[in-house]
Amino acid sequence: MSEEDEWRALPLTDQFSHKNWKARKLGYETATKAFSTAQPTDPLIRDFIYESSLWKAAVADSNVAAQGEALNAYNAFLEAAGQEGARKTRGHTVQGIVEKGLMGRPGPKATAMEGLMLLIELDKADPVLEELLPFLGHKQPKIIAATLSALTSVYKAYGCKTVEPKAVVKCLPKIFGHADKNVRAEGQGLTVELYRWLREAMKPLFWGELKEVQRIDLEKLFEPLRSEPQPKQERLLRSQQAAVEQAEAAGEVEGEAEVEEEEVAIDLEPEYEAVDVFKKIPADFSDRLASTKWKDRKEALDEVFAAVNVPAMQDGSFDDIIRGCAKSMKDANIAVVTVAANVVECIAKGLRKGFTKYRGTILGAMLERFKEKKQSVVDAISAACDAVFLATSLGECESDILEGMKSKNPQVKEQSTRFLVRALKSVKEAPTIEQTKELAEGGKKLLTESAPGLRDAGAEVLGVLWRIMGDRNMLVFFEGLDEIKKGKIKEFCDAAEVRAKWKPKTAPAPKAAAAAPAAKKATAGKRPAGTAKKAAPARAVSPPLMADESAPLAPRPTSRPAGVGKATAGLKAPGAGLRAPGSGLGKPGMGLKAPAAGGAASPARRQVVSPDYDEPETPVAAAPKAGLGRGLAGRPLAKPALQPSSPPPREQGSSANSGLGAAERQELSDLRSEVQLLRSQTSDLRTDKLRLSSRVMELENQEAQFREDKTRDLLQIKAKETQIVRVRGDLEEAEERGNSLSREIDRMKREMTRLRANSQSGNGGYNVPSARSYGDAGSGGHGGGYERSGGGEEKENVPDEGEYESEKTTAPPARSQNTMPPPPSYTATTHATRRPMSNGHSQYTPSSGRATPLSQDGNEGNNSGSGGGGGNGSLVGSRAGGASTMDKSQQSEGVESWRRAAEVTQNLKARIEMMKARQNIGRGP
C-alpha cells in the first residue's frame, strides 16, 4: 500500500492534523469534495463544527499549496454548515485568513476574501469586524494594508447600512499618520468607499484630526463622488435574501421597491458618557454676571464654559445659565458676548434634545445680536445657533428665523437668512407645505433688497428649498421673477447638498379595509392573484376618477328587472335584447369594485358575481322577486351580477376593461416614457459633466504647466540680465585698466624721449646707481639719496612714487653698450645733520627734502665737494668700479622688462576685444 492510500484510509480529522503537508493537502481536497454535497445535519459537518479548532491550523497552514486547498475546504464547509458553522469557527479562522490568506498569491487571496464574505453573509458583520479591527494596529505594514483592502471590499459589497462604519472611521486618522505609503494608499481607498455611502456625515468623526494637506487630497478624491447617486448593496445577507424571497412569493414587488428607496439612518454620532456639570458651575454665577465690571462678567462666563465644555452632560435646570447668556447677548463688551455664545453652544451640544425647552429664551436674543459687525462675534453666535437647531427642529426655530429675516438691521437680516440656509441643508426631514410657503415668501422678499448680500441670501434660500421640495411645490413661487433671478436661484439649487427629500404622502384608500377579505377570496379562486392586487392600488391613487365612473352605474340596472335571473335561465332572447341598453354597462370590473368600496358586497355575493365566460348559457344569479320592492337601493347590486351571464358581454367586458384602464395605462406609459427620457437626459448630463470635469482638469494642468514655463523663463531672463550686468562691469573695469595702461605707456614713451634727448644734448653721465650700490659705497656724504634706518632697511626719498615707480622695475631698451644714454642722476636736497663716525668720516642724515635730478654739466663735482671727502671718495669709487657691470645688467633687464610690458599690453588688448564681442552677443539683436 502506498503512502497516499495510507493517508486516504485515515479519518479526515487525522489528515487535517498530519505532520506531512502532502497528507494534509490530500485531506483538504477530500474534505472539499465531501462538503460540496453534505447537509448541515450530516455527521461530517457536525464533527468539524464541534472540532472547530482544526480550521485554525488549516487556514494558516505553513505550506502554500496546502493552505490554498484548506481555504477552499473552509469555504465549502461554510456553504454546507450555514450560520452555525460560521458562528463556531470565525473566532479561530479570521486571524489565519488575514495573516496567511490575504498575504498570499492572487488565487488564495481571492479564496480568503470569499471566506470573509461568507462569514458575514451567513450571520452578521459585527463579529467579523471586531476580529478585523485589531489588525489595523499590527506591527507589519503589509498586514495592515491587506486588512484595509479587505475592509474596502466588505463595505463595497455589503454597504454601510449592513456593516457598522463608526469604528472604522475612527481609525482613519491613525491610518493616515502611518509611515508606510502603501498603508496610507489603502486608507485613502477605504475612506473614498466610506464617503460613497456616508458623504459629509462621516467627517465629524475624523476630519479634525487630519492635517491640512491630507484634507486637500481627500477633497480632490471626494469631488467626483458628489455627483454619483447613492450606491446600492451588491451582496445580501442570508437573512436579507430570505426576506426578499418571501416578498417575491407574496407578490409585494412594489412594497419592496419602496423599502429600497427609503434611506436607512446610519448612526455616526460618537458615544460619550454624560457628565454632571453642576458641580463645577460657581454658585454665585448670577451675582457675578450682574457686576458692573466686564472682567467679572467674563470671568463668570469663563468658569461656566470650562464646566459645560464636555461632549455630553446630564440633564438639569439650566434656566439661570441660559437666561444669563441671553442677557449677556446685549452686553456692550464683545468678549462677554463671545463667551456667552460659546456657553450656549456647549450646552446645546451636550443636552441635545433636552435643550428644546430653552430654545425660546436664547435663540431670538442671539439672532438679534447678529447686528455686531466683528466677524469673530458673528462666527461664535452662528456656531451657537447651529447647535441650537441641531438640538431642536425646523418647526420650532421657524418663527424666530422669520422674525430675524424681517429685522430692520441688514446685518441681522442677512445672518438670519444664512442660518436658515444652513438649517435647511442639515435638516433630515423635508419641511411641510405650509412651512415651505412661509419660508419661500420670506426668501422671495429678500430678492428686492438693495444690498447684494441680502439678494444672494434670499436666492439661496429659494434654491435650497427647490432642491428639497422639487418643481411641483416650488415653481409656483417663481412666477413674476425675471430670468436673471431665476437663473441665480437655479445655480444655488444645483450647487446645494441637502439631506432631506420631499416625498408625496399618498392618502389611504377608503375601501382598503372592505376590500381585504374580497382580495383574499379572489386569490383563492381561479383568477390570478396579481390581477386583483394590482388593480386596487391603481384606483386608490385617483379617487376622483373612481367617483366619476361609478356614479353612472346607479340608473343603468333599471333596463332589466332584478328577478329575471332564475325565471329566464334557459332563454337567450331576453339576454340578446338587453345588449343594446346595456352597452353602457360594459364595465363589470368597476361594477364589482364599487360595492367593495362602499362595503355593501359580501364575500359570498362576490363569489357568485364572477361568471364563467366559457359557458354562455349559465343561469344568472339574481335576487328573488321579493327584492323588487327594495327600490333604487337594490338596483346597483343586482345589475352588475346579471350582465355577465349572457354570452355577448365577454367581448363587451374585455372592451370595457380596456376602456376602464385606457386612461390610466396611457398616463402610466407617458410617465414611463418621461422617466426614461429623464434618465437618458440625466445620463447625458452626467457624461457631459464628467467630460467637462476632465477638460477642466486638463486645462488646469495646462495652466499649471504654463505657469511653470513662465516662471522658468523669467528666472532665465533674470539670470541673463545678471550676466549682462556682470559682463558690463567687467568691461568697464577692463576699459579703465586699459586706459591706465595706455597712459602709463604714453608716460613711458615720453620719458624715453626725454632721456634720449638728454643723452644726445648732454656730455654723458652715469646711470643711477641702485640702492644696494649706494649702501655698499657708504652712507656718508650729502650726495647719496638713500638713508639707512635703524633696523638696517634702506629707503629711497623720491619726490613722486607714481611717477618713478616704473623706472625702478623697467628700463629703457638698450641699443648697445656704447650708445645707451645714461639716466639722470638724482640728489637729495635735504637738510642734513653732520655727525662724526668712528672711522674718521662724517655722515649726513637727511631730515626732509626732495630728490632732484643732477645736471650733466659738472653738478656732480659740486655735490661731491659738498658731501665731504670720505663720502665723495666712496661714491666715485663705486661708480668707477661697477660702471661696466651695471651697464650690462641694466641693458639685459631693460630688454626683458620691455618684452614683458609688450606682452601684458597685447594680452590686455585681446581681453578687451573679447569682452566687447561677448557683450554684443549677450545683448542680442
Side-chain angles (χ1 to χ4, degrees), residues 282-348:
D284 57 345
F285 168 72
S286 300
D287 298 337
R288 294 170 62 184
L289 196 62
S291 175
T292 56
K293 296 181 180 180
W294 69 270
K295 289 186 178 180
D296 296 341
R297 300 194 298 271
K298 183 177 181 298
E299 288 176 359
L301 289 171
D302 285 335
E303 293 181 10
V304 175
F305 175 72
V308 300
N309 190 15
V310 293
M313 61 183 68
Q314 296 179 3
D315 196 2
S317 179
F318 290 90
D319 298 271
D320 295 339
I321 299 176
I322 298 299
R323 282 196 296 266
C325 292
K327 181 181 178 181
S328 299
M329 286 296 152
K330 301 178 181 179
D331 201 294
N333 189 277
I334 60 175
V336 176
V337 178
T338 303
V339 180
N342 295 335
V343 170
V344 174
E345 180 185 0
C346 292
I347 295 176

Side-chain angles (χ1 to χ4, degrees), residues 634-837:
R635 294 176 185 174
L637 301 178
K639 185 61 180 177
L642 296 174
Q643 184 63 22
S645 61
S646 58
R650 181 172 183 176
E651 298 178 358
Q652 293 180 358
S654 61
S655 61
N657 286 332
S658 61
L660 267 177
E664 295 178 356
R665 282 198 295 272
Q666 181 64 29
E667 183 180 0
L668 182 61
S669 62
D670 293 343
L671 290 176
R672 285 177 178 173
S673 61
E674 290 179 5
V675 168
Q676 189 67 24
L677 179 62
L678 288 176
R679 286 178 179 174
S680 61
Q681 291 178 355
T682 304
S683 178
D684 296 340
L685 291 175
R686 189 178 294 112
T687 305
D688 294 341
K689 185 176 181 180
L690 293 176
R691 179 177 55 80
L692 293 175
S693 299
S694 62
R695 182 58 180 167
V696 168
M697 292 295 293
E698 292 177 1
L699 294 176
E700 288 179 354
N701 294 334
Q702 291 180 3
E703 182 183 1
Q705 185 65 32
F706 290 154
R707 288 180 178 175
E708 292 180 1
D709 296 341
K710 181 180 178 181
T711 305
R712 185 174 60 254
D713 295 339
L714 290 175
L715 292 177
Q716 291 179 355
I717 291 172
K718 292 291 184 183
K720 293 296 183 182
E721 290 178 352
T722 305
Q723 292 178 1
I724 291 171
V725 171
R726 290 178 180 176
V727 169
R728 286 179 179 173
D730 295 341
L731 178 60
E732 292 176 357
E733 184 179 356
E735 288 178 352
E736 291 179 359
R737 190 173 179 183
N739 293 334
S740 62
L741 291 175
S742 299
R743 289 194 299 270
E744 184 69 19
I745 291 171
D746 293 339
R747 190 188 62 77
M748 292 173 65
K749 288 181 180 179
R750 289 195 302 270
E751 186 65 25
M752 289 174 60
T753 304
R754 187 176 62 81
L755 291 175
R756 287 185 186 136
N758 291 338
S759 63
Q760 291 176 3
S761 60
N763 52 3
Y766 297 99
N767 293 329
V768 179
S770 63
R772 188 179 299 277
S773 64
Y774 275 101
D776 295 339
S779 59
H782 182 70
Y786 296 87
E787 65 176 356
R788 186 178 300 273
S789 62
E793 234 178 49
E794 297 179 357
K795 293 184 179 179
E796 181 182 2
N797 291 327
V798 294
D800 191 356
E801 293 180 2
E803 183 177 358
Y804 297 104
E805 185 176 357
S806 61
E807 297 179 2
K808 300 175 186 177
T809 57
T810 61
R815 297 177 184 175
S816 66
Q817 186 175 359
N818 296 328
T819 60
M820 180 66 186
S825 299
Y826 294 89
T827 180
T829 58
T830 61
H831 301 282
T833 304
R834 182 177 180 182
R835 59 187 179 89
M837 299 182 65

Side-chain angles (χ1 to χ4, degrees), residues 42-57:
D42 289 352
L44 178 63
I45 300 296
R46 308 310 302 175
D47 292 343
F48 276 92
I49 289 178
Y50 294 145
E51 298 183 17
S52 57
S53 59
L54 290 173
W55 293 111
K56 182 176 182 180

Side-chain angles (χ1 to χ4, degrees), residues 178-191:
H178 201 277
D180 190 76
K181 63 178 182 179
N182 296 325
V183 174
R184 296 195 301 271
E186 292 293 343
Q188 280 188 350
L190 176 60
T191 307

Side-chain angles (χ1 to χ4, degrees), residues 37-245:
T37 58
Q39 298 295 326
T41 56
D42 289 352
L44 178 63
I45 300 296
R46 308 310 302 175
D47 292 343
F48 276 92
I49 289 178
Y50 294 145
E51 298 183 17
S52 57
S53 59
L54 290 173
W55 293 111
K56 182 176 182 180
V59 297
D61 200 299
S62 58
N63 186 272
V64 178
Q67 194 244 350
E69 294 296 334
L71 291 173
N72 291 329
Y74 182 62
N75 291 349
F77 166 77
L78 291 177
E79 290 284 356
Q83 185 179 23
E84 186 179 2
R87 289 180 176 178
K88 294 288 186 180
T89 60
R90 64 192 173 197
H92 302 283
T93 57
V94 172
Q95 181 178 359
I97 289 174
V98 174
E99 293 182 348
K100 290 287 187 177
L102 297 180
M103 301 295 295
R105 297 176 181 177
K109 184 177 181 180
T111 308
M113 192 66 232
E114 179 62 24
L116 290 177
M117 293 290 187
L118 284 173
L119 288 175
I120 296 174
E121 179 182 335
L122 293 172
D123 186 20
K124 55 184 179 179
D126 293 343
V128 180
L129 196 64
E130 292 176 0
E131 296 286 341
L132 290 176
L133 287 179
F135 291 100
L136 296 180
H138 202 276
K139 62 181 179 180
Q140 295 185 15
K142 292 183 178 180
I143 294 180
I144 301 176
T147 307
L148 291 172
S149 177
L151 288 173
T152 304
S153 302
V154 167
Y155 281 108
K156 184 176 182 180
Y158 294 103
C160 293
K161 300 175 184 178
T162 304
V163 185
E164 176 64 34
K166 186 188 298 184
V168 178
V169 173
K170 290 181 179 179
C171 298
L172 292 178
K174 184 179 178 181
I175 298 300
F176 283 106
H178 201 277
D180 190 76
K181 63 178 182 179
N182 296 325
V183 174
R184 296 195 301 271
E186 292 293 343
Q188 280 188 350
L190 176 60
T191 307
V192 170
E193 183 60 35
L194 290 173
Y195 186 83
R196 291 178 62 241
W197 293 88
L198 305 177
R199 301 302 167 107
E200 299 296 326
M202 66 180 288
K203 287 187 177 180
L205 292 178
F206 77 107
W207 200 252
E209 302 180 28
L210 300 181
K211 298 179 181 179
E212 186 65 26
V213 178
Q214 296 171 346
R215 295 179 187 174
I216 294 173
D217 294 341
L218 288 177
E219 286 293 346
K220 292 179 181 178
L221 296 175
F222 293 162
E223 186 64 29
L225 302 178
R226 293 191 175 98
S227 59
E228 294 183 359
Q230 189 71 16
K232 293 184 179 181
Q233 187 173 343
E234 298 179 358
R235 189 164 178 168
L236 299 177
L237 303 179
R238 290 292 170 89
S239 57
Q240 294 173 342
Q241 295 176 12
V244 171
E245 290 175 359

